[in-house]
Amino acid sequence: MASERMADQHADDRPEPRAPDPPEPRIPESRPPEPRLPEPRPLDAIDRDILQILHTDGRASIRAVAERVHVSRANAYARINRLIDDGVIRGFGARINHERAGQGASAYITLKIVQNTWRTVREHLRALPGASHIALVSGDFDVLLLVHTPDNRALRELVLTRLQSIPEVLSTRTLLVFEEDDLESTVSAEPGGSAPRQ
């Protein structure tokens, strides 16, 4: 009898079986659509001069821009903000000497990918450390990727481990960069970013 009571007590101490956890919700493969930009408005000569000034010197002040294109500061400010809102100006950034910034190895990498997987591949490439430029192109390969890495070992790791593990990537080809000259400022802000300082 005593042993039966002990068995009953131990049975009461046992945790009740748990229901299995519901399956994790799947993350959709495609990202939400990017915000729609308004229809582009025609640019006049002053707009084009402003773009040229900011392309050459993204740190130019509103006052300096206004003086150089011969309009008021308020007019220059309004024009620059319209160019940002229309998506003509995508952002303001710095030109970087990658070698002096500790990224001594640069390469263009061409990729052949599974048909109709560009958006998925683009998301993988955006997450790569050192990815600087991504383009969907026509010709013998599908994607052109520019990367900057600290050294050749990091570059090898990026290509052989990170890139070739992307299921949609069929093949890659690496072209080492011996010397480069950046002709454009690095874009660092999304549409709607802030205008130059006043």
Side-chain angles (χ1 to χ4, degrees):
M1 270 316 246
S3 62
E4 284 180 18
R5 261 183 275 140
M6 296 266 302
D8 286 345
Q9 281 180 337
H10 288 303
D12 291 342
D13 291 341
R14 277 185 254 142
E16 292 188 18
R18 260 182 20 163
D21 290 335
E24 291 279 329
R26 287 186 55 126
I27 298 171
E29 191 171 303
S30 61
R31 46 186 277 197
E34 295 179 5
R36 289 183 62 96
L37 293 171
E39 285 297 314
R41 292 175 266 194
L43 304 183
D44 62 19
I46 293 174
D47 291 328
R48 294 186 189 285
D49 286 346
I50 289 172
L51 290 175
Q52 185 58 47
I53 291 166
L54 294 177
H55 178 75
T56 305
D57 179 10
R59 298 179 65 188
S61 67
I62 298 285
R63 180 192 307 258
V65 171
E67 287 173 359
R68 288 180 60 185
V69 298
H70 309 293
V71 297
S72 69
R73 282 176 56 193
N75 188 322
Y77 184 79
R79 283 174 179 268
I80 291 170
N81 278 325
R82 178 175 53 84
L83 292 168
I84 292 171
D85 292 341
D86 285 357
V88 178
I89 295 176
R90 296 188 298 157
F92 302 90
R95 293 183 185 184
I96 298 169
N97 181 322
H98 294 284
E99 191 171 353
R100 293 185 66 85
Q103 296 177 311
S106 298
Y108 284 97
I109 303 170
T110 66
L111 296 86
K112 288 187 179 180
I113 63 173
V114 175
Q115 192 172 4
N116 297 324
T117 60
W118 159 241
R119 287 180 178 80
T120 303
V121 171
R122 180 177 59 187
E123 293 314 302
H124 285 292
L125 299 182
R126 282 178 171 169
L128 289 176
S132 176
H133 182 80
I134 305 164
L136 179 67
V137 297
S138 64
D140 294 335
F141 49 87
D142 305 305
V143 178
L144 183 64
L145 168 68
L146 173 61
V147 296
H148 303 282
T149 61
D151 51 36
N152 283 341
R153 178 175 296 201
L155 178 59
R156 184 182 66 205
E157 174 73 13
L158 186 141
V159 174
L160 297 181
T161 304
R162 301 287 296 269
L163 273 180
Q164 293 186 0
S165 68
I166 299 171
E168 297 82 5
V169 173
L170 300 174
S171 66
T172 65
R173 185 172 181 197
T174 303
L175 309 168
L176 289 177
V177 174
F178 296 130
E179 188 174 331
E180 63 183 318
D181 192 0
D182 185 12
L183 302 179
E184 285 194 25
S185 300
T186 303
V187 175
S188 63
E190 294 299 317
S194 58
R197 67 191 190 285
Q198 300 214 19

